[in-house]
Amino acid sequence: MELRRIADAVGIGKYPTVLDDIYFAMPKTDTPACDLELIDSLQKEYNIFGEYYDVVRQTAIELNNDRNRSTWIKVCVEYAKNRTVSEARTIPVPRADGTQMTALLPLYILLPQIPMGIQKYKDRGFSAEEIDRINGGYAAGMRTVCGQTGMPGVNALYYWWLNIFAKAVIFITNGLQFELRMLPANAVYLRNKEDGTVLPVMAAGTYHRSGIQNLGSPAYEDPDGSFVAQFREDEENYYGHGAFNSVVDPEEKTFSKALWECVAGPGDGCLSIHIPRGADISRETLDKAVDSAYTIAKQRYPEYDAKVIFGSSWILDPKLQEYVGPNSKITGLQNAFHTYPQKCDGKSLFGYVFPKNYKSLETLPEDTSLQRKLKKWYLDGGYIYDYAGAIVK
């Protein structure tokens, strides 16, 4: 049977063509796709699956009895186990069909990598307590999906997310998560040698003529006067469109190397910060977490040479300051970053401030002051956008 037919039966659309080669090269055996002994040992030693252990184990049995799904899992496991995070993430997640087997199927692709990831954490010097906190991400992901759909699962977003746990490139300190990665292509960060001012200078992207948003983001779709940002340099100067107060300057500016130094740019190592639900985002906690994260990265991940803390989220939209006030935790968090706009659909906050699967804007809850204010903002045609940026120490 061709893998394409198997993928169709599982509910998979496009997939990496290398999977076809793996499928034809794999020995066709009756070895179970989901290792029950491994599931048992991971739960006993690390409580990996939390309250979902029983359903994870029972679903594994059902998947082992499903020829198409078992074959798909085996092929994907063979592909993903020794790949990078970005490569492993190219495996598609099956279309939702309301069954527990489909909802949890991506978990079993990650399963054989979990003990490998745990060993990598041990080799890098993480304590048992630290590893336990990190491993809590698997049950937390299933818990979130269960809250959204009524059954535990690993959807496309959480398969993408949990790969960094399986590959051991994320850690937790002071309640915040830090992922080891490379800076994206969007910006170069310059620092003024005299007063320490940090400025993101855009290295990529097409922007609305106002510079307020990327061209194509809601309410900024008129291409007239738009501009493409590029960054360049010569022996004496840097040239580019700086993001002043989160707005990209439509005019290219010159930054003398006598006054400005490049702190970090695309491809440099960074620590990408992630904020778990319910985490303390006070400036005091953030500052402690950042200092601790740099120390951990330097000691345990020296090959990344992390230069800045990178963040990307709706929570960095300066518009929020109008609703939460100058002394709020959100404002304090934003003030730590040097930000620029990102192209988005303006709906990233849904699933955090508001339910993800809402029927209409009119039906959004108004249980908190922030919900009431943002609901009115959206009903009036406004949006909260995604912003990205860095904390530069």
Side-chain angles (χ1 to χ4, degrees):
M1 181 182 292
E2 295 180 0
L3 185 60
R4 177 68 266 167
R5 295 180 183 176
I6 294 172
D8 288 339
V10 175
I12 299 293
K14 185 178 180 181
Y15 59 81
T17 56
V18 67
L19 297 186
D20 290 306
D21 299 331
I22 293 174
Y23 170 70
F24 284 115
M26 282 178 54
K28 305 304 185 284
T29 68
D30 293 329
T31 304
C34 308
D35 188 336
L36 296 179
E37 291 185 3
L38 177 57
I39 292 171
D40 294 341
S41 65
L42 287 174
Q43 180 66 15
K44 181 178 180 180
E45 293 183 47
Y46 302 103
N47 193 32
I48 290 285
F49 313 108
E51 66 269 35
Y52 303 116
Y53 165 61
D54 289 337
V55 69
V56 167
R57 197 178 196 283
Q58 179 58 40
T59 303
I61 294 172
E62 295 171 7
L63 283 167
N64 284 338
N65 292 324
D66 186 300
R67 187 176 184 83
N68 288 324
R69 290 184 173 90
S70 289
T71 301
W72 178 257
I73 291 171
K74 290 180 183 179
V75 171
C76 293
V77 165
E78 185 64 25
Y79 170 77
K81 63 182 181 182
N82 294 317
R83 304 278 174 163
T84 65
V85 170
S86 58
E87 290 171 334
R89 284 171 169 172
T90 63
I91 293 175
V93 169
R95 293 184 294 273
D97 62 3
T99 68
Q100 191 65 76
M101 280 198 295
T102 294
L104 278 175
L105 186 147
L107 175 66
Y108 304 99
I109 298 173
L110 293 166
L111 185 63
Q113 301 175 66
I114 295 177
M116 297 166 61
I118 291 172
Q119 187 58 51
K120 288 178 181 177
Y121 281 121
K122 290 179 179 178
D123 293 343
R124 289 186 180 273
F126 285 86
S127 68
E129 182 181 358
E130 288 174 314
I131 293 172
D132 283 344
R133 283 200 297 269
I134 294 167
N135 284 336
Y138 295 97
M142 290 188 283
R143 195 173 298 122
T144 299
V145 173
C146 187
Q148 294 171 350
T149 67
M151 65 173 62
V154 176
N155 58 18
L157 174 62
Y158 276 98
Y159 176 75
W160 182 92
W161 172 240
L162 291 175
N163 263 284
I164 60 178
F165 290 77
K167 303 295 186 183
V169 289
I170 190 171
F171 60 85
I172 302 170
T173 181
N174 291 269
L176 302 179
Q177 299 168 328
F178 294 86
E179 174 192 356
L180 282 298
R181 58 173 289 188
M182 302 299 160
L183 272 173
N186 305 76
V188 172
Y189 297 90
L190 302 183
R191 178 164 51 199
N192 189 288
K193 297 177 182 179
E194 294 182 348
D195 62 14
T197 299
V198 174
L199 180 69
V201 179
M202 307 319 298
T206 302
Y207 296 87
H208 184 265
R209 59 182 174 272
S210 65
I212 295 175
Q213 287 298 324
N214 295 67
L215 184 66
S217 291
Y220 293 91
E221 295 149 326
D222 180 0
D224 289 348
S226 62
F227 60 98
V228 177
Q230 293 180 326
F231 179 85
R232 56 194 177 89
E233 63 177 296
D234 56 29
E235 291 185 2
E236 297 182 350
N237 302 303
Y238 301 110
Y239 306 90
H241 299 262
F244 297 89
N245 297 318
S246 303
V247 177
V248 181
D249 190 342
E251 299 296 327
E252 182 183 82
K253 292 293 193 298
T254 300
F255 303 92
S256 169
K257 289 185 177 181
L259 293 176
W260 295 86
E261 62 179 338
C262 180
V263 178
D268 284 336
C270 73
L271 293 171
S272 182
I273 187 172
H274 302 280
I275 303 172
R277 293 172 185 271
D280 179 10
I281 60 170
S282 67
R283 187 60 182 270
E284 180 182 5
T285 296
L286 175 66
D287 290 343
K288 289 180 180 178
V290 166
D291 289 342
S292 176
Y294 272 124
T295 299
I296 292 171
K298 183 177 181 179
Q299 293 175 347
R300 303 176 189 177
Y301 295 89
E303 71 274 22
Y304 279 87
D305 188 23
K307 297 184 181 300
V308 298
I309 305 293
F310 175 78
S312 175
S313 174
W314 61 270
I315 207 170
L316 294 178
D317 186 339
K319 180 70 179 179
L320 289 172
Q321 295 192 25
E322 297 181 20
Y323 300 130
V324 299
N327 299 318
S328 74
K329 292 181 179 180
I330 289 177
T331 298
L333 176 76
Q334 290 186 359
N335 289 341
F337 284 84
H338 305 280
T339 60
Y340 56 86
Q342 286 198 300
K343 188 175 181 179
C344 63
D345 63 4
K347 298 180 180 179
S348 295
L349 62 76
F350 289 88
Y352 296 91
V353 176
F354 296 118
K356 188 176 183 65
N357 299 316
Y358 65 96
K359 293 181 179 180
S360 67
L361 293 176
E362 288 76 12
T363 62
L364 291 175
E366 300 181 40
D367 298 328
T368 68
S369 173
L370 183 60
Q371 283 182 338
R372 289 191 293 273
K373 292 173 181 177
L374 290 179
K375 178 178 179 178
K376 183 179 185 305
W377 176 240
Y378 271 84
L379 285 171
D380 290 342
Y383 294 89
I384 296 298
Y385 297 95
D386 293 351
Y387 282 75
I391 300 174
V392 179
K393 300 291 284 186

